[in-house]
Amino acid sequence: MKILQTREELKTWRENVSGTLGLVMTMGALHEGHLDLVRAAKAAADTVLVTVFVNPTQFAPGEDFDKYPRDLEGDAAKLRAVGADALFAPTPEVMYPQGEALVSFNPGPAAKILEGKTRPTHFAGVLLVVGKMFHLTRPDVACFGKKDAQQLAIVTQMVRDLDFPLEILPVKIRREEDGLAMSSRNRYLSEAERASALNLSQSLQWGLEHASELGSDRIAAAVRGRLEEIPGIEVDYVALVNPRGFVPITEVGFRGPATLALAAKVGATRLIDNMDLVF
């Protein structure tokens, strides 16, 4: 596997790629969920490039940019094991050679709700780095995990609206055996907090099992109510949304596909999760 760290190295490598290119963008601290993205890219393209970059523009002041887990050597070993062809691991200076970007993306109304309400600058920063990576790497397909479902929806909208010449391939959530959604931030959890965090996926599963009796207008409130009874969990939101635009569903008696999404703090660690369902 080729390790690339500069724009020049990336450019030279990309010019020698034949066939289709699959891109997997990560912030490192890789787990099996990330590796599922690589596997999906390998199935969809001739060559797979993975990026590892903790992007400062998507972290607001006071968030965990400085302490976000970093393990490039370990990440590279995992990527070799699953057959990635190249790893691009730039520094912020490589990605933003002129310093702070003066031109940015407007991520649209979907970026102002749910994750965007809690983290109002987050999605503009995500689209900035995603757009730059798309231009630098010129992929044919890019794989994004469904755990970050709002991000997936907004990136897909950007590609559609701005005519990026690539396909966005969603990849299902990878879970631990006990149901906890895999996340690089899970390593922040104490043993007791991890046990408490299981209530996130369990509450979503309960919502799926009771969706028909609760209906689209009551399911989110019912799941939130269950979570708010659990000590050590601070609920940010629980929402039923349209998976395409990630806009909350308010129609009484809604029929069709939907995503039940939530965010909550378990101790000091903020986690997100979601499950798809059909009414």
Side-chain angles (χ1 to χ4, degrees), residues 36-78:
D36 280 349
L37 301 180
V38 179
R39 296 179 184 109
K42 284 176 64 68
D46 300 313
T47 302
V48 174
L49 170 67
V50 180
T51 70
V52 170
F53 178 59
V54 184
N55 174 41
T57 70
Q58 66 194 69
F59 290 81
E63 293 186 342
D64 60 346
F65 173 74
D66 289 330
K67 70 172 185 176
Y68 194 87
R70 294 164 170 85
D71 180 17
L72 186 60
E73 184 176 339
D75 291 341
K78 292 174 183 176

Side-chain angles (χ1 to χ4, degrees), residues 1 8-9 30 39 85 91 99 101 104 112-113 115 130 143 159 168 188 192 201 205 224 240 259 277-279:
M1 182 182 70
E8 292 74 19
E9 289 171 346
L30 302 183
R39 296 179 184 109
D85 296 287
T91 63
S104 61
K112 298 178 182 178
I113 58 175
E115 288 299 293
V130 169
C143 296
V159 167
I168 299 297
Y188 298 158
S201 60
Q205 185 62 44
R224 182 177 187 122
L240 185 73
T259 298
L277 68 161
V278 178
F279 286 95

Side-chain angles (χ1 to χ4, degrees), residues 202-212 214 219 223 260 277:
Q202 290 170 355
S203 293
L204 288 173
Q205 185 62 44
W206 178 88
L208 265 63
E209 293 169 357
H210 293 82
S212 58
L214 291 168
I219 187 171
V223 170
L260 185 61
L277 68 161

Side-chain angles (χ1 to χ4, degrees), residues 25-44:
M25 293 182 57
T26 82
M27 294 203 301
L30 302 183
H31 51 67
E32 282 297 321
H34 296 111
L35 302 183
D36 280 349
L37 301 180
V38 179
R39 296 179 184 109
K42 284 176 64 68

Side-chain angles (χ1 to χ4, degrees), residues 122-138:
H122 175 68
F123 288 113
V126 168
L127 293 193
L128 177 62
V129 74
V130 169
K132 287 170 72 70
M133 284 293 193
F134 284 170
H135 286 309
L136 289 169
T137 64
R138 306 189 312 280

Side-chain angles (χ1 to χ4, degrees), residues 249-269:
I249 294 168
T250 57
E251 176 188 344
V252 176
F254 171 83
R255 289 290 180 268
T259 298
L260 185 61
L262 61 78
K265 275 190 173 182
V266 181
T269 304

Side-chain angles (χ1 to χ4, degrees), residues 87-148:
L87 166 61
F88 180 44
T91 63
E93 292 73 24
V94 169
M95 287 303 297
Y96 303 104
Q98 307 303 320
E100 182 179 356
L102 300 181
V103 175
S104 61
F105 288 89
N106 178 352
K112 298 178 182 178
I113 58 175
L114 305 179
E115 288 299 293
K117 184 177 181 180
T118 301
R119 308 175 69 190
T121 64
H122 175 68
F123 288 113
V126 168
L127 293 193
L128 177 62
V129 74
V130 169
K132 287 170 72 70
M133 284 293 193
F134 284 170
H135 286 309
L136 289 169
T137 64
R138 306 189 312 280
D140 298 283
V141 60
C143 296
F144 285 82
K146 295 182 73 173
K147 188 174 80 69
D148 295 298

